[in-house]
Amino acid sequence: EAQVTQNPRYLITVTGKKLTVTCSQNMNHEYMSWYRQDPGLGLRQIYYSMNVEVTDKGDVPEGYKVSRKEKRNFPLILESPSPNQTSLYFCASSLRQLTYEQYFGPGTRLTVT
Amino acid sequence: RKEVEQDPGPFNVPEGATVAFNCTYSNSASQSFFWYRQDCRKEPKLLMSVYSSGNEDGRFTAQLNRASQYISLLIRDSKLSDSATYLCVVIINAGNNRKLIWGLGTSLAVNP
């Protein structure tokens, strides 16, 4: 089944404790991205990747890192999480950059205390 | 002015009603347009692309008005299962790349 998977789905952590949210797609898509969704602010792009080893900042990259060592995986790293990073995070992929349908993972609900 | 604007609603309609949402965009160079559907606390999913000539998929009709810079989504014969948030998405050219701009969504509740 074609899908985007994210782990973990739910995470409660404390300020400053490094964490990684994994994202994997099995559709051989070139383009992958991370979003956060907050009430009243909608979906905002954090980082995106056009292909392996090619990543770039989205609209709200501060406090986040990403890597794209393999085509299928695009982990999101929070080196020192803070409470303002409490949010619902979505990973998405598409065949190429944005022209095609975006496939989203199920989301990761992160709470930083 | 926001790049993509939607009436947040909520729209409360009875089953069987026809309901329409509009989405306005500010960048006249916008290239591609989509409607996504998002159920509560779940991931967005593509509902339909919006073509210049307008397009229909079952009970759903999408239209584009470039002159007035808006797209619309019409839902006929509303079902309870249509209750969701509908997100308007616009793709614009940003330098050498394309950029996806998301609306905040319009909430629809279809009531028995």
Side-chain angles (χ1 to χ4, degrees):
Chain A
E1 181 191 351
Q3 60 182 353
V4 179
T5 56
Q6 290 179 232
N7 281 293
R9 296 288 313 280
Y10 303 91
L11 180 61
I12 301 174
T13 190
V14 296
T15 299
K17 186 176 180 183
K18 180 179 178 180
L19 66 93
T20 299
V21 184
T22 64
C23 172
S24 183
Q25 49 92 6
N26 63 0
M27 296 169 280
N28 202 36
H29 283 172
E30 289 183 358
Y31 186 89
M32 297 185 74
S33 61
W34 275 102
Y35 291 90
R36 60 179 290 174
Q37 188 173 35
D38 303 286
L41 297 175
L43 279 162
R44 294 180 292 168
Q45 192 178 52
I46 302 170
Y47 268 93
Y48 64 92
S49 169
M50 303 245 274
N51 214 323
V52 176
E53 302 290 3
V54 181
T55 63
D56 210 343
K57 296 177 181 178
D59 297 317
V60 288
E62 294 77 21
Y64 305 94
K65 285 173 60 175
V66 293
S67 67
R68 186 97 181 269
K69 294 187 171 66
E70 307 161 281
K71 200 170 188 179
R72 63 183 295 129
N73 295 324
F74 190 45
L76 179 70
I77 303 154
L78 285 72
E79 295 269 4
S80 183
S82 62
N84 65 11
Q85 292 178 297
T86 293
S87 187
L88 177 58
Y89 291 86
F90 289 106
C91 179
S93 74
S94 63
L95 186 60
R96 290 189 189 85
Q97 190 202 5
L98 302 182
T99 307
Y100 300 92
E101 176 180 357
Q102 299 281 306
Y103 292 81
F104 283 82
T108 295
R109 188 166 290 279
L110 172 66
T111 302
V112 184
T113 61
Chain B
R1 183 185 172 189
K2 290 181 183 171
E3 290 184 275
V4 174
E5 290 198 78
Q6 296 183 249
D7 182 342
F11 284 65
N12 284 285
V13 302
E15 266 187 295
T18 296
V19 62
F21 313 132
N22 278 348
C23 166
T24 59
Y25 60 94
S26 59
N27 191 325
S28 59
S30 299
Q31 294 188 316
S32 306
F33 309 87
F34 304 88
W35 284 103
Y36 276 72
R37 171 198 168 122
Q38 185 174 24
D39 293 305
C40 188
R41 297 191 193 90
K42 296 209 168 174
E43 72 272 26
K45 292 184 180 177
L46 180 67
L47 179 65
M48 57 199 303
S49 304
V50 185
Y51 302 124
S52 297
S53 55
N55 48 299
E56 192 173 300
D57 183 2
R59 298 180 294 107
F60 299 84
T61 300
Q63 293 195 310
L64 166 64
N65 185 318
R66 283 197 184 270
S68 300
Q69 296 186 197
Y70 74 86
I71 64 172
S72 63
L73 178 68
L74 180 80
I75 306 175
R76 289 181 298 278
D77 188 23
S78 300
K79 312 289 185 194
L80 296 177
S81 57
D82 293 334
S83 297
T85 296
Y86 292 84
L87 303 170
C88 164
V89 183
V90 174
I91 294 180
I92 63 172
N93 277 332
N96 292 327
N97 295 319
R98 293 196 179 97
K99 187 174 179 181
L100 206 72
I101 310 293
W102 293 80
L104 296 185
T106 296
S107 176
L108 171 66
V110 181
N111 305 306

